[in-house]
Amino acid sequence: MTCKQVVGDLMLPKVSAKGNLSEIYLSLQGEGIWVGIPMVFVRTTGCYRRCRYCDTEFALVAEKRARIWLGWRRGEPELIVDNPVTAQQVAEWVLQASGQGNLANWVSFTGGEPLLQAEFLAELGAMLKRLGFRILLETEGGLPDRLEKVLPFVNAVAADIKLPSTTGEPLNWNEAERFLRMVAEAPVQACVKIVVTADIDEGEFERAVELLAQLQTSQSGFRRFCPMALILQPVTPARFVTETPSMKLLLHLVSLAQQKLVDVRIVPQVHKLVQLP
Ligand code: SF4
C-alpha cells in the first residue's frame, strides 16, 4: 500500500482514539541523524517536564485548539481545529501535508512529550505505517512503560538524556536506562541526544556516557553493527537559558565521549540556522 491511497481505503477501526495536538506542518528535520529529511511534524500538546531551555513552551500545557498547515508551513495555518482530534483525522491531514507522500514520506511524532498520549499515537502510527509512511518518535526518554505501546509502530527513535544540570530538573536514571535499553533492543534506527548548556555538569555527562557504553557493549545483532549515535546538541537560547556553550567545551565533551562510544557528533538545531520552524 502506498501513501497515494486514501485513508478511506484503510481498514480503520470503528472507534478512533483521540488525542490533543498543538500543530501539524511539513518542514525539514533539523536535529539528530535525520537532519535534512522532509517530514510532516505531528506535535502533541502537553509535557510533564519544564526544561530551562524548552523551545516549545506553547506546547507544555494542553492547548484547546490545534493549528494545521496542509503543506509547508508558511503564513497562517489552513485549519484551526478543536481538540481532541481523532487518529483518522490526523492521518488525513498528514496525507495532505505530505502531498500524498510525494513531498515527505516521514512523519515525526514530537511535542511536548508525545508519549503522554501513547494509545493515540499507537493507533495513529499503525494507520500511517499502513499508508507507507516511516515514523520518527522524538521523546525526552523517561517513560519506558508508555514507549512499549508505541515502539512497534515507529521506525526510528530520537531519545534525550535530560541531565539535571542542563534542564534544572531531576532525572530518574533507572527509568532513563530502562527506556534506552528498550530502544537499543528494538529493530529501529536510533540516536540519543544530550542538550549541552554552558553550565553542564561533567560528572553527569560522564555518567550518561557510561550508561550508553554499557548498552553498546551488551548489544548483539544489528545494533552491534549500527550503534546508537550520541548527539551533542548545543542549546539554542530559549526560556531561562541565554548563554550557548563554547566550541571548546563541546570539543572537550566529544573527546570524553569518544573514549567509550563509537559514534559521537555535534549537531546544532539546523532548522533554526536556516530559519525553518
Ligand atoms: S521535555 Fe521537551 S517539551 Fe518538555 S519541557 Fe523539556 S524541552 Fe520542553
Side-chain angles (χ1 to χ4, degrees), residues 1-99:
M1 183 171 284
T2 71
C3 299
K4 291 184 173 61
Q5 287 177 276
V6 295
V7 174
D9 286 350
L10 292 173
M11 291 174 62
L12 295 170
K14 292 282 181 249
V15 179
S16 190
K18 289 189 173 181
N20 292 300
L21 295 190
S22 173
E23 51 192 10
I24 296 176
Y25 58 91
L26 173 64
S27 188
L28 299 181
Q29 176 57 252
E31 297 185 5
I33 58 176
W34 300 277
V35 162
I37 297 178
M39 293 190 184
V40 176
F41 291 81
V42 175
R43 186 183 305 286
T44 60
T45 186
C47 185
Y48 72 106
R49 287 191 164 278
R50 293 293 181 268
C51 303
R52 283 192 304 150
Y53 52 75
C54 182
D55 61 354
T56 53
E57 224 175 335
F58 55 90
L60 293 187
V61 291
E63 295 174 85
K64 286 189 178 151
R65 295 189 181 85
R67 299 169 299 285
I68 317 290
W69 282 265
L70 297 173
W72 295 99
R73 182 171 168 165
R74 296 191 197 96
E76 294 301 311
E78 276 81 19
L79 299 172
I80 295 178
V81 298
D82 288 335
N83 279 316
V85 292
T86 65
Q88 185 172 350
Q89 284 177 306
V90 176
E92 287 168 356
W93 292 326
V94 166
L95 260 181
Q96 290 182 61
S98 71

XYZ file of all heavy atoms in Angstrom, residues 1-99:
781
model
N 0.848 -1.205 0.000
C 0.000 0.000 0.000
C 0.880 1.250 0.000
O 1.898 1.294 0.676
C -0.891 -0.017 1.239
C -1.845 1.143 1.296
S -3.048 0.948 2.635
C -4.136 -0.275 1.924
N 0.529 2.237 -0.782
C 1.354 3.439 -0.854
C 0.624 4.622 -0.239
O -0.574 4.587 0.016
C 1.663 3.798 -2.320
O 0.462 4.266 -2.919
C 2.195 2.618 -3.093
N 1.398 5.725 -0.048
C 0.809 6.930 0.534
C -0.279 7.491 -0.354
O -1.108 8.274 0.104
C 1.874 8.001 0.724
S 3.186 7.491 1.816
N -0.268 7.147 -1.634
C -1.225 7.757 -2.558
C -2.642 7.252 -2.319
O -3.604 7.848 -2.723
C -0.799 7.500 -3.998
C 0.462 8.267 -4.381
C 0.804 8.071 -5.834
C 1.956 8.961 -6.278
N 3.172 8.701 -5.565
N -2.759 6.084 -1.680
C -4.107 5.572 -1.417
C -4.751 6.391 -0.304
O -4.093 6.824 0.626
C -4.029 4.097 -1.032
C -3.713 3.248 -2.259
C -3.553 1.808 -1.887
O -2.492 1.408 -1.486
N -4.624 1.057 -2.013
N -6.024 6.615 -0.433
C -6.696 7.480 0.534
C -6.945 6.745 1.833
O -7.006 5.518 1.867
C -8.039 8.018 -0.028
C -7.805 8.916 -1.215
C -8.959 6.867 -0.377
N -7.111 7.541 2.919
C -7.323 6.937 4.224
C -8.554 6.061 4.231
O -8.608 5.038 4.903
C -7.445 8.050 5.292
C -7.808 7.468 6.642
C -6.136 8.799 5.387
N -9.557 6.434 3.440
C -10.789 5.660 3.395
C -10.561 4.231 2.948
O -11.379 3.356 3.218
N -9.452 3.959 2.257
C -9.152 2.603 1.814
C -8.695 1.713 2.955
O -8.649 0.497 2.827
C -8.034 2.614 0.761
C -8.548 3.128 -0.569
O -9.776 3.273 -0.702
O -7.717 3.392 -1.446
N -8.316 2.339 4.079
C -7.756 1.556 5.171
C -8.848 0.806 5.911
O -9.997 1.212 5.946
C -7.055 2.474 6.174
C -5.799 3.147 5.653
C -5.317 4.134 6.686
C -4.740 2.125 5.361
N -8.444 -0.304 6.528
C -9.384 -0.990 7.410
C -9.303 -0.294 8.763
O -8.583 -0.700 9.670
C -8.993 -2.458 7.536
C -9.217 -3.228 6.235
S -8.596 -4.891 6.364
C -9.591 -5.542 7.679
N -10.020 0.804 8.876
C -9.935 1.611 10.079
C -10.824 1.038 11.176
O -11.887 0.483 10.892
C -10.380 3.047 9.766
C -9.465 3.782 8.798
C -10.115 5.085 8.373
C -8.121 4.047 9.437
N -10.407 1.178 12.420
C -11.283 0.719 13.499
C -12.538 1.567 13.551
O -12.540 2.714 13.113
C -10.424 0.938 14.758
C -9.407 1.938 14.368
C -9.181 1.783 12.902
N -13.599 1.007 14.091
C -14.860 1.739 14.151
C -14.726 2.978 15.047
O -15.226 4.036 14.762
C -15.972 0.832 14.696
C -16.322 -0.281 13.735
C -17.215 0.222 12.596
C -17.591 -0.903 11.653
N -16.986 -0.790 10.353
N -14.032 2.837 16.170
C -13.848 3.959 17.079
C -12.378 4.351 17.050
O -11.505 3.529 17.309
C -14.257 3.580 18.517
C -14.033 4.763 19.457
C -15.713 3.139 18.539
N -12.121 5.608 16.676
C -10.743 6.063 16.560
C -10.323 6.736 17.856
O -11.083 7.493 18.458
C -10.662 7.058 15.400
O -9.333 7.354 15.109
N -9.104 6.445 18.317
C -8.577 7.082 19.528
C -8.477 8.586 19.307
O -8.330 9.050 18.186
C -7.207 6.502 19.844
N -8.560 9.338 20.401
C -8.471 10.788 20.285
C -7.236 11.311 21.001
O -6.811 10.759 22.018
C -9.723 11.442 20.866
C -10.957 11.216 20.010
C -12.112 12.054 20.483
C -13.272 11.916 19.487
N -14.409 12.735 19.880
N -6.692 12.399 20.448
C -5.508 12.992 21.049
C -5.573 14.503 20.978
O -6.379 15.071 20.225
N -4.710 15.139 21.769
C -4.641 16.601 21.783
C -3.365 17.050 21.081
O -2.263 16.668 21.472
C -4.659 17.106 23.226
C -5.996 16.854 23.884
O -7.022 17.334 23.431
N -5.993 16.050 24.936
N -3.560 17.863 20.038
C -2.426 18.310 19.239
C -2.155 19.793 19.425
O -3.058 20.572 19.766
C -2.691 18.064 17.751
C -2.831 16.619 17.269
C -2.847 16.589 15.755
C -1.720 15.739 17.813
N -0.916 20.162 19.143
C -0.545 21.574 19.079
C -0.542 22.032 17.620
O -1.134 23.048 17.277
C 0.842 21.773 19.700
O 1.284 23.082 19.513
N 0.121 21.222 16.754
C 0.206 21.627 15.351
C 0.644 20.464 14.464
O 1.216 19.480 14.929
C 1.187 22.800 15.196
C 2.538 22.554 15.830
C 3.396 23.798 15.939
O 2.899 24.914 15.703
O 4.586 23.659 16.254
N 0.348 20.621 13.172
C 0.833 19.709 12.124
C 1.368 20.590 10.999
O 0.723 21.573 10.622
C -0.303 18.825 11.557
C -0.863 17.888 12.638
C 0.186 17.999 10.364
C -2.057 17.057 12.169
N 2.549 20.253 10.468
C 3.084 21.016 9.339
C 4.194 20.212 8.677
O 4.763 19.292 9.276
C 3.623 22.386 9.781
C 4.702 22.328 10.831
C 6.047 22.268 10.479
C 4.374 22.328 12.183
C 7.036 22.212 11.451
C 5.352 22.281 13.160
C 6.687 22.217 12.786
O 7.666 22.148 13.751
N 4.505 20.598 7.449
C 5.612 19.980 6.712
C 6.839 20.867 6.832
O 6.768 22.094 6.647
C 5.210 19.835 5.236
C 6.274 19.364 4.247
C 6.732 17.945 4.570
C 5.724 19.420 2.818
N 7.989 20.280 7.163
C 9.244 21.038 7.213
C 10.402 20.053 7.046
O 10.176 18.883 6.740
C 9.360 21.800 8.543
O 10.471 22.678 8.516
N 11.620 20.553 7.263
C 12.794 19.682 7.229
C 13.183 19.327 8.654
O 13.146 20.183 9.541
C 13.979 20.379 6.546
C 13.787 20.790 5.085
C 15.061 21.450 4.558
C 13.442 19.584 4.223
N 13.570 18.078 8.868
C 14.068 17.687 10.179
C 15.392 18.421 10.438
O 16.272 18.449 9.575
C 14.276 16.176 10.228
C 14.886 15.641 11.510
C 14.095 15.999 12.764
O 14.526 16.844 13.563
N 12.927 15.390 12.927
N 15.496 19.017 11.610
C 16.692 19.822 11.901
C 17.565 19.283 13.005
O 18.537 19.923 13.395
N 17.235 18.086 13.524
C 18.005 17.569 14.658
C 18.461 16.139 14.403
O 17.859 15.402 13.620
C 17.150 17.588 15.941
C 16.727 18.991 16.372
C 16.000 18.992 17.706
O 15.898 17.934 18.354
O 15.517 20.078 18.096
N 19.530 15.764 15.109
C 19.940 14.360 15.152
C 20.493 13.835 13.848
O 21.040 14.581 13.029
N 20.320 12.525 13.636
C 20.927 11.874 12.468
C 20.016 11.932 11.244
O 20.360 11.409 10.195
C 21.301 10.399 12.769
C 20.070 9.593 13.199
C 22.384 10.325 13.825
C 20.349 8.099 13.416
N 18.858 12.580 11.382
C 17.923 12.656 10.255
C 17.868 14.063 9.670
O 16.934 14.396 8.930
C 16.530 12.213 10.700
C 16.517 10.809 11.218
C 16.439 9.673 10.473
C 16.618 10.387 12.584
N 16.488 8.573 11.290
C 16.599 8.982 12.588
C 16.744 11.057 13.806
C 16.687 8.234 13.763
C 16.829 10.317 14.975
C 16.800 8.927 14.935
N 18.857 14.892 9.976
C 18.867 16.289 9.514
C 18.680 16.356 8.000
O 19.336 15.633 7.249
C 20.199 16.967 9.902
C 20.423 18.231 9.079
C 20.206 17.330 11.376
N 17.759 17.217 7.577
C 17.566 17.460 6.149
C 16.441 16.661 5.524
O 16.057 16.938 4.383
N 15.907 15.680 6.237
C 14.829 14.857 5.652
C 13.493 15.605 5.778
O 13.129 16.038 6.877
C 14.731 13.495 6.366
C 16.022 12.695 6.167
C 13.528 12.703 5.851
C 16.032 11.347 6.875
N 12.758 15.756 4.662
C 11.420 16.351 4.768
C 10.519 15.467 5.633
O 10.484 14.248 5.436
C 10.916 16.395 3.318
C 12.135 16.243 2.471
C 13.104 15.412 3.266
N 9.834 16.070 6.567
C 8.944 15.318 7.456
C 7.678 16.116 7.719
O 7.708 17.339 7.744
C 9.602 15.048 8.821
C 10.785 14.118 8.776
S 11.298 13.624 10.454
C 12.767 12.653 10.021
N 6.598 15.391 7.944
C 5.398 16.028 8.488
C 5.494 15.919 10.014
O 5.651 14.818 10.548
C 4.115 15.340 7.989
C 2.896 15.971 8.654
C 4.011 15.453 6.476
N 5.472 17.059 10.681
C 5.594 17.082 12.136
C 4.198 17.058 12.764
O 3.365 17.930 12.470
C 6.371 18.329 12.590
C 7.814 18.272 12.195
C 8.215 18.613 10.913
C 8.774 17.825 13.093
C 9.548 18.523 10.533
C 10.106 17.730 12.722
C 10.493 18.076 11.429
N 3.964 16.063 13.588
C 2.725 15.982 14.371
C 3.120 16.291 15.814
O 3.729 15.450 16.490
C 2.076 14.586 14.256
C 0.858 14.481 15.174
C 1.687 14.293 12.812
N 2.848 17.527 16.233
C 3.270 17.950 17.575
C 2.100 17.809 18.542
O 1.071 18.473 18.389
C 3.746 19.408 17.565
C 4.348 19.849 18.912
C 4.742 21.323 18.923
N 5.636 21.696 17.852
C 6.925 21.389 17.771
N 7.493 20.683 18.736
N 7.648 21.772 16.749
N 2.257 16.908 19.515
C 1.228 16.772 20.538
C 1.394 17.899 21.552
O 2.449 18.527 21.644
C 1.343 15.417 21.252
O 2.634 15.340 21.871
C 1.148 14.270 20.287
N 0.342 18.138 22.313
C 0.405 19.200 23.305
C 0.450 18.583 24.703
O -0.131 17.533 24.950
C -0.794 20.161 23.132
O -0.637 21.259 23.998
C -2.116 19.478 23.379
N 1.215 19.211 25.589
C 1.353 18.734 26.964
C 2.685 18.086 27.222
O 3.187 17.300 26.405
N 3.308 18.439 28.361
C 4.563 17.822 28.773
C 4.617 17.848 30.298
O 4.096 18.774 30.917
C 5.771 18.560 28.198
S 7.342 17.723 28.579
N 5.229 16.815 30.892
C 5.326 16.785 32.351
C 6.645 17.376 32.837
O 6.871 17.481 34.030
C 5.135 15.360 32.870
C 6.290 14.418 32.591
C 7.164 14.036 33.603
C 6.505 13.898 31.308
C 8.205 13.159 33.364
C 7.530 13.030 31.063
C 8.389 12.657 32.088
O 9.429 11.802 31.837
N 7.510 17.762 31.915
C 8.768 18.416 32.281
C 8.667 19.925 32.079
O 7.763 20.410 31.389
C 9.908 17.862 31.438
C 10.326 16.466 31.803
C 11.617 16.115 31.097
N 12.251 14.953 31.693
C 13.017 15.008 32.787
N 13.265 16.156 33.356
N 13.552 13.913 33.278
N 9.640 20.623 32.614
C 9.740 22.072 32.412
C 11.219 22.419 32.246
O 11.815 23.089 33.095
C 9.136 22.844 33.603
C 7.628 22.689 33.775
C 6.856 23.338 32.617
N 5.400 23.199 32.792
C 4.688 22.197 32.289
N 5.273 21.213 31.611
N 3.386 22.160 32.458
N 11.818 21.947 31.159
C 13.249 22.178 30.949
C 13.531 23.682 30.843
O 12.768 24.416 30.216
C 13.712 21.486 29.668
S 13.386 19.712 29.666
N 14.663 24.075 31.411
C 15.006 25.508 31.421
C 15.098 26.084 30.005
O 14.900 27.259 29.785
C 16.375 25.708 32.094
C 16.386 25.626 33.595
C 17.718 26.116 34.127
N 18.839 25.382 33.553
C 20.051 25.885 33.350
N 20.304 27.141 33.647
N 21.011 25.150 32.846
N 15.472 25.217 29.042
C 15.748 25.691 27.687
C 14.620 25.354 26.698
O 14.811 25.460 25.483
C 17.051 25.066 27.155
C 17.072 23.560 27.274
C 16.329 22.751 26.422
C 17.832 22.939 28.269
C 16.328 21.386 26.541
C 17.838 21.559 28.402
C 17.089 20.789 27.533
O 17.083 19.420 27.656
N 13.457 24.939 27.201
C 12.397 24.467 26.308
C 12.064 25.515 25.230
O 11.798 26.674 25.541
C 11.140 24.147 27.107
S 9.823 23.493 26.048
N 12.064 25.077 23.982
C 11.758 25.996 22.873
C 10.354 25.766 22.316
O 9.998 26.325 21.283
C 12.809 25.882 21.760
C 12.866 24.484 21.157
O 12.189 23.582 21.668
O 13.596 24.307 20.161
N 9.568 24.917 22.982
C 8.161 24.729 22.565
C 7.266 24.965 23.779
O 6.385 24.157 24.087
C 7.931 23.315 21.988
O 8.411 22.351 22.934
C 8.619 23.132 20.658
N 7.523 26.083 24.439
C 6.784 26.393 25.672
C 5.270 26.393 25.439
O 4.497 26.027 26.322
C 7.237 27.761 26.183
C 7.458 27.762 27.674
C 8.020 29.076 28.192
O 8.662 29.809 27.419
O 7.783 29.358 29.372
N 4.865 26.790 24.218
C 3.434 26.843 23.906
C 2.787 25.465 23.988
O 1.575 25.347 24.156
C 3.215 27.443 22.503
C 3.975 26.723 21.412
C 3.408 25.668 20.727
C 5.262 27.103 21.084
C 4.104 24.998 19.727
C 5.977 26.439 20.090
C 5.399 25.385 19.417
N 3.597 24.407 23.844
C 3.045 23.041 23.818
C 3.156 22.346 25.176
O 2.907 21.154 25.281
C 3.750 22.211 22.749
N 3.524 23.076 26.220
C 3.711 22.423 27.521
C 2.385 22.112 28.206
O 2.265 21.124 28.913
C 4.570 23.311 28.439
C 6.026 23.481 28.007
C 6.812 24.227 29.067
C 6.671 22.140 27.725
N 1.421 22.984 28.055
C 0.117 22.732 28.674
C -0.909 22.484 27.573
O -0.745 22.961 26.449
C -0.333 23.924 29.542
C 0.525 24.045 30.778
C -0.317 25.209 28.756
N -1.949 21.741 27.916
C -2.941 21.334 26.912
C -3.525 22.550 26.197
O -4.062 23.459 26.825
C -4.039 20.532 27.583
N -3.403 22.558 24.879
C -3.970 23.645 24.074
C -5.385 23.255 23.651
O -5.640 22.095 23.321
C -3.101 23.904 22.839
C -1.720 24.424 23.199
C -0.824 24.543 21.971
O -0.885 25.564 21.287
O -0.067 23.595 21.725
N -6.264 24.233 23.606
C -7.661 23.936 23.243
C -7.801 23.680 21.747
O -8.675 22.941 21.321
C -8.557 25.109 23.639
C -8.781 25.190 25.138
C -9.832 26.218 25.473
C -10.060 26.221 26.979
N -10.478 27.505 27.489
N -6.938 24.318 20.957
C -7.051 24.170 19.502
C -5.701 23.805 18.893
O -4.658 24.158 19.437
C -7.559 25.470 18.877
C -8.971 25.793 19.311
C -9.578 26.948 18.551
N -10.919 27.209 19.055
C -11.170 27.981 20.108
N -10.175 28.590 20.716
N -12.399 28.154 20.534
N -5.776 23.120 17.757
C -4.563 22.741 17.029
C -4.501 23.502 15.710
O -5.529 23.750 15.081
C -4.573 21.237 16.762
N -3.280 23.870 15.317
C -3.067 24.580 14.051
C -2.569 23.565 13.011
O -1.610 22.837 13.276
C -2.033 25.703 14.243
C -2.478 26.744 15.257
C -1.365 27.692 15.654
N -0.227 27.023 16.275
C -0.214 26.551 17.538
N -1.301 26.656 18.294
N 0.852 25.971 18.022
N -3.205 23.560 11.855
C -2.891 22.556 10.826
C -2.478 23.265 9.540
O -3.292 23.984 8.936
C -4.111 21.651 10.509
C -4.848 21.227 11.792
C -3.684 20.459 9.657
C -4.130 20.275 12.674
N -1.231 23.074 9.134
C -0.787 23.527 7.815
C -0.849 22.311 6.892
O -0.234 21.283 7.188
C 0.645 24.049 7.879
C 0.797 25.430 8.454
C 0.869 26.597 7.749
C 0.906 25.794 9.839
N 1.008 27.664 8.612
C 1.032 27.202 9.896
C 0.906 25.078 11.045
C 1.165 27.898 11.106
C 1.034 25.767 12.244
C 1.156 27.149 12.256
N -1.525 22.432 5.784
C -1.678 21.277 4.880
C -0.574 21.287 3.834
O -0.813 21.142 2.631
C -3.058 21.309 4.224
C -4.219 21.185 5.233
C -5.563 21.393 4.546
C -4.176 19.830 5.944
N 0.648 21.498 4.279
C 1.820 21.563 3.402
C 2.929 22.274 4.155
O 2.941 22.288 5.391
N 3.868 22.888 3.391
C 4.966 23.619 4.031
C 4.396 24.712 4.911
O 3.399 25.352 4.551
C 5.896 24.239 2.972
C 6.599 23.215 2.156
C 6.247 22.795 0.916
C 7.740 22.445 2.535
N 7.093 21.813 0.493
C 8.028 21.576 1.459
C 8.556 22.395 3.663
C 9.091 20.683 1.487
C 9.613 21.500 3.698
C 9.877 20.657 2.618
N 5.033 24.954 6.031
C 4.492 25.925 6.986
C 4.854 27.347 6.572
O 5.977 27.802 6.754
C 5.062 25.618 8.367
C 4.521 26.523 9.424
C 4.942 26.040 10.768
N 4.682 27.020 11.759
C 4.694 26.763 13.054
N 4.964 25.561 13.477
N 4.451 27.712 13.909
N 3.908 28.013 5.977
C 4.086 29.413 5.572
C 2.841 30.183 5.973
O 1.722 29.734 5.715
C 4.253 29.550 4.057
C 5.485 28.892 3.496
C 5.703 29.316 2.039
N 6.619 28.412 1.376
C 6.257 27.375 0.635
N 4.983 27.150 0.424
N 7.154 26.589 0.060
N 3.001 31.345 6.570
C 1.854 32.173 6.924
C 0.918 31.494 7.910
O 1.341 30.679 8.739
N -0.356 31.821 7.804
C -1.348 31.285 8.741
C -1.708 29.840 8.372
O -1.646 29.463 7.207
C -2.616 32.152 8.688
C -2.413 33.572 9.186
C -1.928 33.606 10.635
O -2.549 32.922 11.464
O -0.922 34.290 10.913
N -2.103 29.039 9.373
C -2.485 27.644 9.076
C -3.779 27.579 8.269
O -4.635 28.453 8.389
C -2.673 27.034 10.475
C -2.944 28.193 11.373
C -2.208 29.362 10.805
N -3.890 26.526 7.459
C -5.125 26.323 6.677
C -6.302 25.992 7.589
O -7.435 26.353 7.299
C -4.951 25.184 5.664
C -4.302 25.582 4.347
C -2.788 25.661 4.452
O -2.245 25.063 5.409
O -2.162 26.321 3.597
N -6.028 25.299 8.688
C -7.113 24.881 9.588
C -6.745 25.195 11.034
O -5.580 25.074 11.425
C -7.343 23.360 9.490
C -7.746 22.758 8.151
C -7.724 21.231 8.259
C -9.134 23.236 7.768
N -7.743 25.576 11.813
C -7.605 25.624 13.273
C -8.769 24.803 13.809
O -9.942 25.111 13.535
C -7.648 27.069 13.807
C -6.436 27.845 13.282
C -7.663 27.067 15.338
C -6.381 29.298 13.707
N -8.436 23.716 14.523
C -9.480 22.763 14.917
C -9.486 22.586 16.427
O -8.462 22.752 17.096
C -9.262 21.387 14.238
C -9.341 21.506 12.728
C -7.928 20.782 14.652
N -10.650 22.226 16.968
C -10.770 21.981 18.407
C -10.149 20.636 18.771
O -10.314 19.655 18.042
C -12.253 21.971 18.811
C -12.859 23.371 18.784
O -12.090 24.353 18.920
O -14.084 23.469 18.619
N -9.460 20.584 19.899
C -9.008 19.320 20.479
C -10.133 18.727 21.306
O -10.973 19.466 21.835
C -7.782 19.565 21.377
C -6.505 19.678 20.580
O -6.270 18.900 19.673
N -5.666 20.655 20.932
N -10.199 17.387 21.479
C -9.287 16.413 20.884
C -9.669 16.092 19.439
O -10.799 16.359 19.026
C -9.481 15.191 21.785
C -10.907 15.276 22.230
C -11.205 16.744 22.365
N -8.699 15.498 18.720
C -8.929 15.093 17.330
C -8.736 13.579 17.233
O -8.070 12.981 18.077
C -7.945 15.809 16.376
C -8.248 17.289 16.334
C -6.502 15.584 16.809
N -9.316 12.968 16.213
C -9.192 11.512 16.082
C -7.937 11.162 15.281
O -7.434 11.961 14.476
C -10.404 10.892 15.365
O -10.429 11.372 14.012
C -11.702 11.253 16.055
N -7.462 9.938 15.494
C -6.299 9.461 14.741
C -6.601 9.464 13.247
O -5.735 9.771 12.418
C -5.918 8.059 15.221
N -7.844 9.140 12.893
C -8.217 9.109 11.475
C -8.126 10.503 10.852
O -7.603 10.667 9.751
C -9.624 8.555 11.322
C -10.020 8.384 9.869
C -11.335 7.645 9.707
O -11.869 7.092 10.670
N -11.846 7.626 8.497
N -8.601 11.534 11.596
C -8.490 12.905 11.090
C -7.022 13.277 10.888
O -6.657 13.865 9.867
C -9.103 13.889 12.104
C -10.613 13.925 12.138
C -11.084 14.875 13.236
O -10.690 14.751 14.391
N -11.910 15.834 12.865
N -6.197 12.931 11.860
C -4.775 13.300 11.782
C -4.122 12.611 10.579
O -3.342 13.224 9.847
C -4.037 12.942 13.086
C -2.545 13.249 12.964
C -4.634 13.725 14.253
N -4.456 11.342 10.362
C -3.886 10.629 9.208
C -4.270 11.336 7.906
O -3.450 11.446 6.982
C -4.368 9.180 9.207
N -5.483 11.835 7.830
C -5.917 12.544 6.617
C -5.131 13.848 6.439
O -4.690 14.183 5.342
C -7.422 12.829 6.690
C -8.256 11.561 6.496
C -9.734 11.753 6.853
O -10.105 12.843 7.316
O -10.494 10.788 6.669
N -4.920 14.599 7.538
C -4.157 15.848 7.442
C -2.696 15.569 7.086
O -2.084 16.313 6.325
C -4.254 16.617 8.763
C -5.616 17.136 9.049
C -6.525 17.593 8.129
C -6.249 17.243 10.336
N -7.679 17.976 8.767
C -7.554 17.787 10.114
C -5.866 16.950 11.634
C -8.441 18.030 11.158
C -6.748 17.189 12.685
C -8.025 17.725 12.437
N -2.157 14.486 7.637
C -0.764 14.133 7.322
C -0.639 13.824 5.835
O 0.318 14.255 5.167
C -0.291 12.937 8.180
C 1.014 12.355 7.630
C -0.109 13.364 9.633
N -1.606 13.075 5.304
C -1.581 12.756 3.869
C -1.570 14.042 3.038
O -0.803 14.175 2.080
C -2.805 11.931 3.502
C -2.628 10.426 3.363
C -3.942 9.793 2.964
C -1.542 10.079 2.354
N -2.424 14.998 3.411
C -2.483 16.253 2.653
C -1.190 17.042 2.819
O -0.635 17.558 1.850
C -3.679 17.090 3.117
C -5.011 16.478 2.711
C -6.182 17.366 3.144
O -6.297 18.504 2.726
N -7.027 16.843 3.996
N -0.702 17.163 4.060
C 0.527 17.945 4.310
C 1.723 17.352 3.583
O 2.650 18.070 3.190
C 0.792 18.020 5.808
N 1.710 16.035 3.394
C 2.844 15.365 2.751
C 2.711 15.351 1.232
O 3.559 14.754 0.549
C 2.931 13.915 3.242
O 1.849 13.157 2.707
N 1.657 15.985 0.685
C 1.432 15.904 -0.761
C 1.161 14.465 -1.169
O 1.717 13.989 -2.155
